[in-house]
């Protein structure tokens, strides 16, 4: 899961099995420093001084708190801080920034002072928005980057310069953004996201906003990039990566489960017709496309031929088994399409809005 580096970049903490926090040095095994029954840790951050690891976590009721643990596993005394699930440190290590939501109000950004125990709101999001989440402070401590969602699933990166009253919008991707961090130059932000055509880790200039650039060899299902500076002035970027290699399995009453059309790629969202044929999405051909095969087949038949890498599809069969309705982003936004089981007569039904499922 999520990773966090100490100030030297030589040690790191990470979430293991969605239940505990491990600390490790490079090329050495990790050791557990935090685990709490019925609590799930989220996106952790190591303090700039190296003293504490901030661990946002949620209990089984969804209540979010933040605990501080030192690298040896000693928990900071006092009650857990109410807030989360994401957190960032002030540059001096004496305060935390976090996003928190209260009831139906938008998620907002707060600062918690470790000495006084006081919490102050940093920024108020638009009242009709989903809110501000996913934050990171620049290395020089002058700027706070965060993700603002006017609507669910349509987020962009904003930067608040401390001392200024209004944040500045940096990106225009209008999509889910899965974590961000600053490079040591205090002007470049790396973030994980999906755009209309690509998914992966991107970088963008926060001082002179321009189109985000996909980081080389970082296209795929990546989450929560974290930057570590090295003593020689270089840096590395770590991240959580999902391989997307799910496979299909057919289960019939009284029989053992068996794989269907298995490959080394990802097969998902199956739908079975009345005559036993299975339609599903797969990236076995490069792009994510619609495939069909009988339940007993090994080699499926490709129905759509998009070169897009990330397309959402949820196939549904017509009652006569002659056509399939599905969702596709072939034109950059989700729309509803139909195609004959032969692969002919591909057409779109809706194009004006984001539609699916």
């Amino acid at each position: 899961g999520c990773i966090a580096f100490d100030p030297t970049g030589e040690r790191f903490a990470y979430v293991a099995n969605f239940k505990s926090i491990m600390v490790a040095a490079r090329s050495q095994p990790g050791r557990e420093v935090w685990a709490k029954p019925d609590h799930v840790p989220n996106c952790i951050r190591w303090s700039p001084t190296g003293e504490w690891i901030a661990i946002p976590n949620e209990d089984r009721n969804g209540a979010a708190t933040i605990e501080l643990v030192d690298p040896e596993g000693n928990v900071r005394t006092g009650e857990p801080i109410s807030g989360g699930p994401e957190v960032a440190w002030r540059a001096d290590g004496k305060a935390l920034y976090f996003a928190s939501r209260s009831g139906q109000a938008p998620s907002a950004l707060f600062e918690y002072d470790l000495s006084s125990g006081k919490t102050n709101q940093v920024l108020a999001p638009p009242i009709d928005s989903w809110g501000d989440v996913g934050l990171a402070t620049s290395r020089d401590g002058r700027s706070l980057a965060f993700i603002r969602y006017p609507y669910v699933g349509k987020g962009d990166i904003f930067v608040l310069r401390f001392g200024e009253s209004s944040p500045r919008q940096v990106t225009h991707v209008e999509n889910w953004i899965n974590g961000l961090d600053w490079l040591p130059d205090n002007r470049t932000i790396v973030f994980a996201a999906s755009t209309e055509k690509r998914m992966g880790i991107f970088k963008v200039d926060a001082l002179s906003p321009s189109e985000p650039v996909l980081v080389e060899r970082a296209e795929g299902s990546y989450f929560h990039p974290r930057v570590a500076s090295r003593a020689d002035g270089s840096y590395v970027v770590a991240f959580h990566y999902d391989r997307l290699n799910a496979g299909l399995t057919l289960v019939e009453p009284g029989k053992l489960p068996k794989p269907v059309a298995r490959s080394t790629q990802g097969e998902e969202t199956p739908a079975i017709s009345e005559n036993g044929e299975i339609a599903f999405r797969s990236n076995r051909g490069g792009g994510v496309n619609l495939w069909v095969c009988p339940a007993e087949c090994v080699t499926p038949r490709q129905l759509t031929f998009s070169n897009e890498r990330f397309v959402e599809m949820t196939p549904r069969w017509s009652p006569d088994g002659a056509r399939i309705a599905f969702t596709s982003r072939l034109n950059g936004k989700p729309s509803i399409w139909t195609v004959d089981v032969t692969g002919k007569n591909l057409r779109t039904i809706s194009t004006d809005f984001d539609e699916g499922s």
Side-chain angles (χ1 to χ4, degrees), residues 246-249 266-272 277-283 288-291 311-317 324-327 357:
L248 303 182
T249 299
E267 281 78 44
E268 299 176 291
T269 65
I272 304 178
E277 281 201 295
I278 300 174
F280 61 95
R281 58 177 280 181
S282 176
N283 64 340
V288 179
N289 282 285
L290 197 65
W291 297 69
V311 182
E312 298 179 7
M313 293 188 177
T314 50
R316 294 292 183 266
W317 290 89
I324 299 170
F326 62 97
T327 329
S357 301

Side-chain angles (χ1 to χ4, degrees), residues 17-191:
N17 299 318
F18 302 102
K19 65 179 183 180
S20 62
I21 304 300
M22 310 290 287
V23 168
R26 295 181 184 275
S27 304
Q28 294 183 7
R31 53 185 176 79
E32 185 177 271
V33 296
W34 182 92
K36 198 171 184 178
D38 299 323
H39 283 247
V40 178
N42 290 301
C43 292
I44 59 177
R45 292 273 189 181
W46 208 311
S47 69
T49 61
E51 184 179 7
W52 300 109
I53 302 166
I55 306 173
N57 61 94
E58 293 179 286
D59 65 17
R60 61 172 58 188
N61 297 317
T65 56
I66 302 167
E67 287 193 299
L68 302 184
V69 177
D70 71 14
E72 302 304 317
N74 301 305
V75 179
R76 184 175 182 266
T77 57
E79 292 294 320
I81 303 162
S82 179
E86 302 199 37
V87 67
W89 286 90
R90 201 167 69 189
D92 60 7
K94 296 180 180 180
L96 287 168
Y97 299 108
F98 60 86
S100 183
R101 185 185 304 278
S102 177
Q104 299 300 313
S107 176
L109 304 183
F110 297 85
E111 180 186 59
Y112 176 85
D113 187 281
L114 296 185
S115 298
S116 67
K118 293 182 178 179
T119 300
N120 297 307
Q121 187 165 340
V122 175
L123 193 65
I127 192 64
D128 57 348
S129 70
W130 194 60
D132 299 338
V133 298
L135 57 168
T137 46
S138 59
R139 303 305 172 95
D140 60 8
R142 296 179 179 178
S143 301
L144 179 69
F146 62 94
I147 306 162
R148 171 166 287 177
Y149 287 92
Y151 307 98
V152 175
K154 291 185 178 293
D156 272 297
I157 295 174
F158 286 69
V159 169
L160 176 67
R161 187 86 168 172
F162 290 115
E164 298 180 358
S165 58
S166 299
R168 182 166 42 87
Q169 186 168 351
V170 173
T171 68
H172 296 272
V173 299
E174 295 185 351
N175 212 322
W176 288 111
I177 297 177
N178 302 310
L180 75 169
D181 205 0
W182 290 83
L183 294 190
D185 63 5
N186 294 305
R187 66 177 298 158
T188 306
I189 297 172
V190 291
F191 63 98

